[in-house]
Amino acid sequence: MTQSVLKPAVATAGELSPSMWGHVEMPKWKLGASVARNGFINYRGGFSSRAGTAYTIKARQACSADSTPPKIIRFQFNILQSYILEFGDGYMRVIANGAAVTEAPLAISAATNGDPCIITVAGNPWVVGDWIYVADVAGMTQINQATYIVGAAAGGVLTLLDLFDNPVNAVNWGAYVSGGTAARIYTNLNSPYAAEDLPYLKVVQSADVMSLCCVNQQ
């Protein structure tokens, strides 16, 4: 028969191990929870729901039921600076302050109302497959604050794809007037870890130094 128990504090003992279940004689049993998900235990008592999440950027490495997802690692440089490291198949990206870290932005001088959309960024070193972030374009405001993939590159002329490799259709967007910048998402393509290594990637941090080790058991 189910019996209600008055708890003087909610989950102050945290989530109890199954080995604790049934040990009603132990004080901690009356202060714990059998399951505690998406929340924080306050040492003064009480259980608080965790804060929500925010979208930053799609992972560069595709994820599916038959593929290995990227490895997400937190790097706390100091009490004021923290980063998220995205390790994928031979690459690493950095996320900070709610967005992917980019290289220095370059000026946009033109953008077409075509399908696909084509922009001109003089002097860029980008190649097919690079991810770029566009902002501050006047007129064609629909292109702003978004990330695109370079589908074709000829000099400073770039064809834009969305993050699912579809051509960006700008036919019904506003006409380009002036300004705007494009910045490449910083991506280190020299990571020694392949997709099959990621489940075995281990890290340890001491002060502001992080050490990584990977021994692929397969």
Side-chain angles (χ1 to χ4, degrees):
M1 180 178 67
T2 303
Q3 181 179 0
S4 298
V5 177
L6 180 64
K7 288 180 174 288
V10 180
T12 54
E15 183 173 310
L16 302 180
S17 165
S19 62
M20 285 279 292
W21 295 355
H23 283 275
V24 297
E25 77 283 0
M26 303 183 69
K28 286 289 186 182
W29 185 86
K30 296 181 175 63
L31 302 177
S34 59
V35 177
R37 294 287 184 271
N38 294 321
F40 300 95
I41 309 300
N42 192 311
Y43 73 92
R44 292 185 295 266
F47 178 88
S48 303
S49 297
R50 68 165 175 81
T53 58
Y55 173 82
T56 54
I57 190 172
K58 179 178 177 288
R60 178 184 174 97
Q61 181 170 307
C63 302
S64 65
D66 57 354
S67 68
T68 302
K71 183 87 168 184
I72 303 300
I73 297 173
R74 183 186 181 194
F75 175 48
Q76 185 79 32
F77 183 72
N78 55 39
I79 61 173
L80 300 177
Q81 294 174 280
S82 61
Y83 305 91
I84 297 296
L85 309 180
E86 176 194 330
F87 281 89
D89 189 12
Y91 77 89
M92 184 203 74
R93 296 197 302 191
V94 181
I95 297 170
N97 301 320
V101 173
T102 63
E103 299 174 357
L106 301 177
I108 296 174
S109 58
T112 67
N113 289 95
D115 182 11
C117 180
I118 297 174
I119 65 174
T120 302
V121 184
N124 77 79
W126 308 331
V127 297
V128 173
D130 281 342
W131 291 35
I132 61 174
Y133 181 80
V134 176
D136 301 326
V137 172
M140 188 183 285
T141 56
Q142 297 90 338
I143 200 174
N144 289 329
Q145 282 73 55
T147 303
Y148 303 96
I149 299 176
V150 176
V157 180
L158 307 173
T159 299
L160 299 184
L161 306 177
D162 65 20
L163 299 187
F164 297 94
D165 290 321
N166 301 309
V168 173
N169 186 348
V171 171
N172 296 319
W173 290 2
Y176 175 83
V177 174
S178 64
T181 61
R184 180 165 57 182
I185 305 297
Y186 171 76
T187 307
N188 184 337
L189 296 175
N190 295 317
S191 171
Y193 308 115
E196 56 267 24
D197 297 325
L198 299 179
Y200 305 98
L201 183 59
K202 307 295 182 183
V203 301
V204 64
Q205 185 174 343
S206 175
D208 59 357
V209 176
M210 175 177 284
S211 301
L212 297 94
C213 176
C214 181
V215 179
N216 189 330
Q217 302 298 317
Q218 303 302 317

